[in-house]
Amino acid sequence: MAKLTVRDLEVQGKRVFMRVDYNVPLEEKDGQMVITDSTRIVETIPTLKLLIEKGGRLILTAHMGRPKGKREATMSLAPVAVKLAELLGKPVTFVDDCIGDQVAKAVAAMKNGDVVLLENVRYYNEEEANDPAFAEKLAQVADVYVNDAFGAAHRAHASTEGVARLVAKRGGKCAAGLLMERELKFLGDELENPARPFVVILGGAKVSDKIKVIDRLLEKADTILIGGAMAYTFRLAQGYQTGKSLVEPDAVETAKSALLKAKAKNVKFLLPVDDVVATPVKTDKLDKKGKAIIEFQNPTTSPDQNVPEGTAGLDIGPATIKAYAAEVLSAKTILWNGPMGLFENKQFATGTNSVAAAVAEATQKGAKSIIGGGDSVKAINKAKLGDKVTFMSTGGGASLEFLEGTELPGVAALSEKTSCSCAH
Ligand code: 3PG
Ligand code: MG
């Protein structure tokens, strides 16, 4: 990797301003916000421990949710500070603001190895606007800058980009944390020259969300397996009936060109050969957004590529599972992004769970498996297979954009590794 990392950084006695992605899921229980998955916090611990060992003074900044410039009590990072202290086994000072006097005071009181966590940086609109004056305020306590927030690196915000630029301008170093380094290694370098066969599994609702990734991976993969609702847009492109399945008629041409490109590049491009279908019925129950909840009745396997009238395709069927598992088990490198069906509903989770199991088994047999963030990570964790894959990304949108080949602003702003004293 060409970017400077915390390993290269001299931090003894310095104020290390570090951006982390602690945007973890919270749930209200008895009037308290409780963290339901602390993966993103756990994954930064190695970076924090290294910097503490090196004698840095760590000032952590992060966002929670999308409060849009307001102090939303439910989006406070206070519960994260408690969890972090527990994981680090040392006190973490929580500061109720991310700029201003309170921050200056807390930082002035720090000793080497101390850790401070600042309140939600998105309580200020200037964060997402990447406002230079706001970045300047954040940067007041920064001698060096570290970014370990891979999950937020696709955002060009003040704390992910603006501060780094300011610190660099002053001659300070900006380094990637160990988590950031790992993400870039697995989602980037490892997929540049993958051991073959390289099998990619892509799912999710929309072709339009994934087309850039599909397009890029058609250059690299030996096999691409398609699942999720986006498979029905491909079916539409092939002239099949899709019933009440979720489809994007606007993306049919895009799907057609992906199919042509796969042929031209000699990439094995597999679509489901059977489905689990059910009849969607509107209930009079409303969801959190006030929309009628849809119930899916009479789930059955449909062996026909035409989805029966009045039903929607909601998962890949048994023949598809068998075919996809065989491909996965023959792979040396696996990349998975996106579920195979409506896996939040147990009736339609078999496809996703079976693919997860096949990925775990292939890994056991020596394949490298990389799980590209968001729902696929949720699915792997739900199946309790998290420790059976090679790497799981902590990024959702960020991992997708990175896989598309986009340069992430939070990465671009980091210092290059230069003046290397070694022999290359
Ligand atoms: C995420 O959870 O995807 C990241 O923390 C980024 O959050 P955002 O999508 O609100 O920018
Ligand atoms: Mg997001």
Side-chain angles (χ1 to χ4, degrees):
M1 188 177 74
K3 293 293 180 187
L4 197 75
T5 84
V6 283
R7 285 181 234 277
D8 315 311
L9 211 58
E10 166 59 53
V11 297
Q12 174 79 18
K14 287 189 185 156
R15 297 169 306 169
V16 181
F17 190 84
M18 178 166 161
R19 180 57 156 99
V20 284
D21 187 354
Y22 288 167
N23 190 23
V24 291
L26 293 175
E27 236 170 54
E28 198 188 314
K29 272 189 197 130
D30 309 318
Q32 292 245 26
M33 298 309 287
V34 178
I35 300 169
T36 54
D37 179 353
S38 25
T39 307
R40 281 179 165 173
I41 309 171
V42 171
E43 292 297 320
T44 65
I45 299 298
T47 310
L48 297 179
K49 287 204 163 148
L50 178 66
L51 291 166
I52 290 168
E53 229 169 75
K54 287 181 163 211
R57 303 173 180 201
L58 311 192
I59 303 139
L60 308 180
T61 185
H63 76 279
M64 174 66 78
R66 295 175 177 171
K68 296 274 165 236
K70 288 206 195 68
R71 289 191 75 97
E72 286 283 353
T74 56
M75 296 181 195
S76 170
L77 283 164
V80 171
V82 175
K83 185 76 202 175
L84 182 60
E86 184 190 309
L87 289 166
L88 275 175
K90 65 181 276 145
V92 170
T93 305
F94 181 66
V95 180
D96 189 31
D97 207 341
C98 63
I99 51 168
D101 289 347
Q102 276 191 71
V103 177
K105 232 185 242 162
V107 172
M110 289 178 88
K111 296 190 206 57
N112 294 357
D114 280 355
V115 182
V116 160
L117 174 66
L118 306 179
E119 182 55 291
N120 194 346
V121 70
R122 287 191 187 170
Y123 280 177
Y124 292 88
N125 268 327
E126 293 91 330
E127 159 67 359
E128 293 189 56
N130 200 358
D131 178 81
F134 180 71
E136 191 71 63
K137 287 179 193 164
L138 288 170
Q140 263 167 28
V141 292
D143 296 321
V144 295
Y145 176 85
V146 171
N147 194 341
D148 218 11
F150 176 77
H154 56 320
R155 309 289 182 213
H157 294 171
S159 66
T160 60
E161 208 260 358
V163 176
R165 299 280 178 206
L166 281 175
V167 169
K169 217 164 110 190
R170 290 184 203 147
K173 295 263 196 303
C174 302
L178 301 175
L179 171 60
M180 177 72 90
E181 186 187 26
R182 262 166 67 77
E183 296 269 7
L184 300 178
K185 171 180 177 304
F186 281 104
L187 296 174
D189 303 346
E190 293 278 350
L191 301 181
E192 271 316 308
N193 294 299
R196 297 187 181 277
F198 176 25
V199 175
V200 175
I201 312 151
L202 288 174
K206 292 181 176 172
V207 170
S208 54
D209 282 348
K210 297 284 158 85
I211 190 59
K212 282 196 200 144
V213 173
I214 295 176
D215 203 55
R216 180 141 184 276
L217 290 170
L218 277 168
E219 307 285 343
K220 296 197 187 306
D222 298 296
T223 304
I224 297 184
L225 312 173
I226 300 285
M230 76 168 161
Y232 302 104
T233 298
F234 279 103
R235 289 255 186 90
L236 208 56
Q238 291 174 321
Y240 293 110
Q241 303 294 316
T242 53
K244 292 199 164 178
S245 309
L246 193 65
V247 287
E248 287 175 287
D250 286 355
V252 164
E253 287 312 310
T254 308
K256 277 185 186 163
S257 32
L259 290 168
L260 284 175
K261 184 168 172 178
K263 207 168 207 175
K265 295 265 167 197
N266 214 2
V267 175
K268 200 165 170 186
F269 196 87
L270 300 189
L271 292 164
V273 292
D274 60 350
D275 309 291
V276 177
V277 303
T279 309
V281 178
K282 243 189 204 166
T283 64
D284 40 9
K285 283 176 268 171
L286 300 179
D287 66 12
K288 277 184 192 154
K289 286 178 184 153
K291 268 174 60 187
I293 292 177
I294 310 274
E295 233 172 54
F296 295 102
Q297 296 178 350
N298 306 321
T300 44
T301 297
S302 161
D304 188 347
Q305 305 214 41
N306 287 302
V307 175
E309 212 185 309
T311 71
L314 295 154
D315 194 8
I316 56 176
T320 308
I321 289 175
K322 208 170 156 201
Y324 284 12
E327 293 295 337
V328 168
L329 287 168
S330 76
K332 288 274 184 302
T333 308
I334 302 158
L335 172 67
W336 182 17
N337 187 293
M340 297 291 100
L342 192 66
F343 78 105
E344 299 88 339
N345 184 330
K346 230 170 62 198
Q347 300 179 99
F348 312 113
T350 309
T352 301
N353 289 339
S354 307
V355 165
V359 171
E361 193 185 331
T363 313
Q364 216 85 47
K365 287 177 32 189
K368 209 170 262 176
S369 54
I370 297 163
I371 317 298
D375 280 339
S376 6
V377 168
K378 236 187 248 169
I380 289 261
N381 280 333
K382 221 169 152 185
K384 302 219 166 12
L385 296 170
D387 56 350
K388 302 250 178 334
V389 296
T390 311
F391 180 75
M392 286 199 289
S393 177
T394 55
S399 69
L400 201 61
E401 283 192 34
F402 188 66
L403 289 171
E404 287 171 359
T406 310
E407 180 167 47
L408 306 181
V411 178
L414 300 176
S415 315
E416 299 294 330
K417 237 181 218 195
T418 49
S419 62
C420 174
S421 56
C422 48
H424 56 266

